Amino acid sequence: MARWPTMTTSPAPARRALPDAPLLVAARGGSPAHVPVWFMRQAGRSLPEYRQLREGVPMLSACFDPEMLAEITIQPVRRHGVDAAILFSDIVVPLHAAGVDIDIVAGTGPVVANPVRSRSDVDALPELDPEQVRPVTDGVRLLVEQLGTTPLIGFAGAPFTLASYLIEGGPSKNHERTKALMHSEPELWHALAGALARITLTFLRAQLDAGVDAVQLFDSWAGALSARDYREFVLPHSAAVLSGVADYGVPRIHFGVGTAELLGDMRDAGADVVGVDWRLPLDEAVRRLTVPGGAAPVVQGNLDPALLFASWPVIEAEVRRIVAEGRAAGGHIFNLGHGVLPDTDPDVLTRVVELVHSL
């Protein structure tokens, strides 16, 4: 039987009052002063100031340096005028903090020294103590002091994506070992996914206790699954994470890549805002997410990040189209359909923000 952290019923900690922040207003289905915009991976390699700061510093070292992660997080707010900061982190940060032998290898991504393949491997997974991510939460507290009225979004990887990295040993195109284990040893799969859900939940609650204003659960690889497999093997564990932070009363964003056929299930996992990649028009996503008799859904997205390399007239037309399609929703947070690509011209991102704010 899965073991879940004991949750108190004490009031959520005091956090900044940001009643007019466009991102938070839109996320709750209200009418913001303008369409809010932020970009996944806005804090990163597209910015020269980031590259200068990170020179010679390994990724995980940067993620555990409070001053550095705070500076990196705030850089795109300072440069672009986006409506939210997203905590500079990585989905493997809580695993690394808990003691899993995992590293981020340049040009490859997360690499696991001892992949998880057996019951003994699952039983050996550590729990996460909030103290193990104290440098991250110290960085959050610095950001809360510095961001003024700009919301800060907390961040974590979803159990399925974390499990795939652990089982495959690193990034995978086909997730063959993951799917094989999932179907051939479902009890073992659920034990693993449950353990990872507990780690993720502890990490998100630590960020929330430090003052983040919203959270995003990022399921990078969920689009590799059929809807049936998602509902059986993934949804219960993502739902455990999202329900576990419900008592904080902050918007919960859920995003995955290639998940057009899973949007309704991702909503059912407990998302207040469903992120949509570039493959599906937002008005069609709204149609798929709408529940008869329910409130109009809130969506996030969904400019193709590759189109930021096109000419400005092309980009402008796409931005205008997406904003128009987003008006079908109960709320729309403009974003990319995935993360900012490393070679993106940061001046283009700034122009996109200005355009979205003008529409």
Side-chain angles (χ1 to χ4, degrees):
M1 178 166 302
R3 296 167 291 128
W4 296 99
T6 300
M7 299 302 168
T8 66
T9 55
S10 58
R15 66 190 66 251
R16 294 178 297 163
L18 303 173
D20 300 320
L23 179 129
L24 300 178
V25 173
R28 295 185 169 113
S31 300
H34 58 250
V35 176
V37 53
W38 68 279
F39 306 109
M40 287 179 281
R41 295 185 190 150
Q42 63 186 15
R45 289 175 292 175
S46 66
L47 299 183
E49 56 266 41
Y50 167 84
R51 294 193 296 271
Q52 181 178 358
L53 185 62
R54 270 286 316 281
E55 186 174 0
V57 180
M59 175 67 177
L60 286 173
S61 297
C63 291
F64 284 91
D65 181 322
E67 289 78 15
M68 182 173 287
L69 78 84
E71 170 59 21
I72 292 171
T73 299
I74 209 167
Q75 282 176 348
V77 178
R78 189 183 297 134
R79 177 185 274 263
H80 303 310
V82 286
D83 292 287
I86 176 73
L87 181 68
F88 176 73
S89 186
D90 188 90
I91 63 172
V92 305
V93 159
L95 297 178
H96 178 78
V100 175
D101 192 349
I102 189 168
D103 196 11
I104 300 174
V105 177
T108 300
V111 175
V112 182
N114 301 296
V116 173
R117 305 279 168 77
S118 67
R119 167 60 69 171
S120 61
D121 293 332
V122 173
D123 291 343
L125 283 175
E127 299 284 342
L128 177 67
D129 187 308
E131 282 300 308
Q132 293 172 308
V133 291
R134 172 62 69 88
V136 177
T137 55
D138 284 347
V140 169
R141 292 184 179 93
L142 288 174
L143 282 160
V144 168
E145 294 175 359
Q146 297 172 19
L147 280 169
T149 59
T150 301
L152 175 62
I153 302 171
F155 165 80
F160 171 75
T161 291
L162 295 180
S164 180
Y165 278 117
L166 289 181
I167 295 167
E168 304 291 342
S172 173
K173 291 183 179 180
N174 301 309
H175 311 279
E176 56 267 37
R177 290 182 180 272
T178 305
K179 292 182 179 182
L181 187 148
M182 184 184 285
H183 283 273
S184 61
E185 299 185 72
E187 185 177 346
L188 181 59
W189 165 263
H190 285 295
L192 172 59
L196 294 172
R198 292 193 296 275
I199 289 172
T200 298
L201 179 53
T202 299
F203 187 42
L204 283 179
R205 290 181 71 93
Q207 294 174 51
L208 285 158
D209 287 340
V212 300
D213 306 291
V215 293
Q216 175 159 295
L217 188 65
F218 199 116
D219 212 350
S220 312
W221 308 129
L225 298 172
S226 69
R228 177 185 298 140
D229 285 353
Y230 182 90
R231 286 191 288 268
E232 180 176 353
F233 296 112
V234 177
L235 193 154
H237 303 289
S238 292
V241 175
L242 290 169
S243 66
V245 297
D247 56 321
Y248 287 86
V250 306
R252 297 163 295 174
I253 308 167
H254 198 12
F255 174 77
V257 182
T259 53
E261 301 304 319
L262 306 178
L263 295 180
D265 296 315
M266 295 175 74
R267 172 204 61 213
D268 293 345
D272 302 304
V273 181
V274 177
V276 184
D277 76 8
W278 67 91
R279 295 170 177 86
L280 189 71
L282 284 184
D283 49 1
E284 172 60 17
V286 169
R287 188 190 68 77
R288 296 185 184 191
L289 286 164
T290 298
V291 177
V298 180
V299 295
Q300 178 177 279
N302 66 344
L303 178 66
D304 185 341
L307 289 182
L308 292 172
F309 293 82
S311 64
W312 178 251
V314 170
I315 297 170
E316 180 178 3
E318 286 295 295
V319 169
R320 290 181 180 276
R321 174 185 63 80
I322 290 163
V323 170
E325 290 171 354
R327 294 193 177 104
H332 175 212
I333 299 166
F334 190 96
N335 207 309
L336 304 181
H338 199 192
V340 175
L341 297 171
D343 294 328
T344 303
D345 182 348
D347 291 340
V348 171
L349 290 172
T350 303
R351 290 187 72 182
V352 169
V353 172
E354 293 170 349
L355 175 58
V356 172
H357 285 171
S358 73
L359 298 177

